[in-house]
Amino acid sequence: MSELNNIVLKILSNKKGILAADESNGTMTKRLDSVGVKSSPESRLKFREVLLSSEEGMKNIGGVILYDETIRQKTESGKKIPELINSFGSVTGIKVDTGAKKMVNSPVETITEGLDGLRERLEDYYELGARFTKWRAVIHINKSYPSELAINANAHALARYASLVQEAKMVPIIEPEVLMSGDHNINRCYEVTAKVLKECYKELKFHEVDLKGTILKPNMVLPGDRCSIKSNTEEISEMTLKCLKENVPPEVPGIAFLSGGQSEIEATQNLNAINKINDTNFILSFSYGRALQQGALKIWGENQEDVLNTQKIFTQRSKMNGLASVGQWLKELETK
Ligand code: 5MM
């Protein structure tokens, strides 16, 4: 078994998933603003340190994705953040893309940048303790999008990124996010997600990426947030699993969903339903940002000294998603 495959299994096996704490400073500022906290390197660290030092909460977190600022920060007691993460047996990850930028010739759509100088940046991140990385491509849906151009350019960039990351002996998370915003129905999300995944694996194969040493971070197949026809958990789980079975090569060991704007409970409930019917060899777990942090951030925003209750809320989400990653979650276990 390859070293990269071992890293994947360490991150996702045994009811574990990923905490996506890699909000760029712009996004983190919006999140902190929403709870009335002024954003600064210190406040961003303070909130993240509360989560990352929760022994109970970290039990179901096999990997944490950090932003460049955080991987270089130290805790109040002087511990490097990657050391804190490792102390719980969890793996440090790092976002290495530099963001989704406007595409030439299709300005509503985006192309994710960050390939320039990536080989050198990866060496630095490895030295800092990272063993996996993330790159997020963003795909928009409306009547005329996504364009072939956006799908192809983003898949190509993901493959170039993934091959450089494996060369640097780290596991690349491949995140082609089909956004939930729009009035499209679930069938349209299915069709676009299938097309995007197909193109990604075509490019990854072309770039000779070893799929056994990768993690896919996809969206679930969902109706758009403004769609008038709602879908139930059963339909979402069946369509999501079908889409993955048909478009993701079986060598891929682990798939960790993004939450994409679903509520915390929805993200858990859907993950659980997918695992209940999982008849594949894929480990199907979570790599949630908002769906793991929202509630905890709200409590912390009310009282930044209330570490205990902030960690309690985070632990609940992390535990519930751990159970959902093996189809053992029950609604009754939710105390709130
Ligand atoms: C945590 O947010 C990540 C970074 O976003 P920005 O680069 O826009 O600041 C984001 O990539 C995240 O990892 C995924 O979208 C999954 O997070 P959600 O909240 O959708 O689970």
Side-chain angles (χ1 to χ4, degrees):
M1 215 187 290
S2 78
E3 209 170 301
L4 294 186
N5 186 260
N6 281 334
I7 298 176
V8 174
L9 299 181
K10 185 170 177 193
I11 298 171
L12 297 179
S13 304
N14 304 321
K15 300 188 189 162
K16 290 189 181 187
I18 299 170
L19 167 64
D22 60 313
E23 297 86 354
S24 53
N25 290 346
T27 305
M28 198 57 194
T29 298
K30 277 190 218 146
R31 304 265 191 271
L32 291 172
D33 278 352
S34 76
V35 296
V37 175
K38 192 172 161 21
S39 182
S40 67
E42 294 72 33
S43 64
R44 294 191 284 267
L45 172 65
K46 203 170 171 199
F47 174 64
R48 287 165 169 158
E49 192 180 331
V50 171
L51 304 189
L52 298 177
S53 45
S54 162
E55 202 177 335
E56 280 302 307
M58 290 297 283
K59 282 190 177 151
N60 294 90
I61 302 295
V64 182
I65 317 173
L66 300 175
Y67 184 57
D68 182 81
E69 176 180 86
T70 325
I71 201 171
R72 301 172 194 282
Q73 287 176 317
K74 286 186 181 158
T75 63
E76 227 181 340
S77 64
K79 207 181 240 180
K80 290 179 180 161
I81 295 296
E83 281 172 15
L84 174 64
I85 294 170
N86 296 347
S87 71
F88 294 112
S90 191
V91 185
T92 299
I94 180 80
K95 181 226 290 296
V96 302
D97 67 70
T98 54
K101 309 284 162 64
K102 260 187 199 175
M103 274 201 83
V104 177
N105 293 330
S106 187
V108 175
E109 296 184 285
T110 58
I111 173 73
T112 300
E113 296 187 350
L115 290 170
D116 288 351
L118 181 57
R119 183 176 265 139
E120 293 71 27
R121 287 197 290 127
L122 290 172
E123 269 178 36
D124 185 29
Y125 287 138
Y126 191 94
E127 282 297 306
L128 289 165
R131 292 296 177 268
F132 75 104
T133 66
K134 193 197 87 174
W135 179 289
R136 171 172 171 254
V138 182
I139 303 292
H140 302 251
I141 301 186
N142 84 1
K143 285 201 177 58
S144 8
Y145 305 124
S147 64
E148 296 287 329
L149 177 67
I151 294 177
N152 175 267
N154 277 295
H156 176 85
L158 271 167
R160 283 188 58 196
Y161 140 81
S163 58
L164 279 165
V165 171
Q166 289 195 334
E167 179 191 74
K169 306 206 176 334
M170 292 185 277
V171 168
I173 291 190
I174 291 139
E175 181 180 4
E177 176 173 6
V178 176
L179 292 181
M180 199 166 115
S181 40
D183 57 8
H184 55 275
N185 63 23
I186 194 167
N187 295 324
R188 175 89 170 120
C189 178
Y190 181 96
E191 177 204 338
V192 172
T193 304
K195 201 167 172 182
V196 167
L197 290 174
K198 236 182 227 121
E199 189 69 15
C200 284
Y201 285 104
K202 191 181 104 197
E203 289 288 333
L204 288 163
K205 192 170 173 215
F206 193 44
H207 288 254
E208 297 185 23
V209 172
D210 175 8
L211 296 183
K212 290 192 228 62
T214 64
I215 294 172
L216 173 69
K217 176 165 173 168
N219 52 283
M220 291 178 190
V221 175
L222 300 164
D225 55 2
R226 281 179 279 112
C227 177
S228 51
I229 311 155
K230 302 291 168 217
S231 299
N232 60 29
T233 313
E234 200 185 351
E235 188 181 10
I236 292 167
S237 55
E238 280 169 6
M239 288 185 74
T240 301
L241 192 65
K242 183 170 186 290
C243 194
L244 296 174
K245 275 160 91 169
E246 287 176 2
N247 300 290
V248 181
E251 305 93 274
V252 173
I255 298 179
F257 293 101
L258 58 92
S259 58
Q262 297 178 72
S263 74
E264 287 162 303
I265 303 285
E266 269 167 2
T268 305
Q269 185 169 351
N270 287 333
L271 176 63
N272 187 61
I274 297 168
N275 273 297
K276 273 194 170 304
I277 56 166
N278 184 12
D279 54 358
T280 70
N281 287 324
F282 298 135
I283 300 176
L284 299 175
S285 190
F286 57 92
S287 176
Y288 293 163
R290 286 163 287 180
L292 275 171
Q293 300 181 70
Q294 234 158 240
L297 180 64
K298 195 165 167 270
I299 294 289
W300 186 77
E302 283 163 17
N303 177 2
Q304 292 163 49
E305 303 316 314
D306 195 354
V307 172
L308 227 65
N309 278 313
T310 307
Q311 291 186 336
K312 206 170 138 196
I313 304 287
F314 169 61
T315 299
Q316 170 75 359
R317 293 291 14 106
S318 142
K319 271 208 166 83
M320 294 298 108
N321 286 309
L323 289 171
S325 73
V326 288
Q328 288 173 3
W329 173 83
L330 297 167
K331 216 177 200 153
E332 303 81 81
L333 296 171
E334 295 290 353
T335 47
K336 294 218 160 205

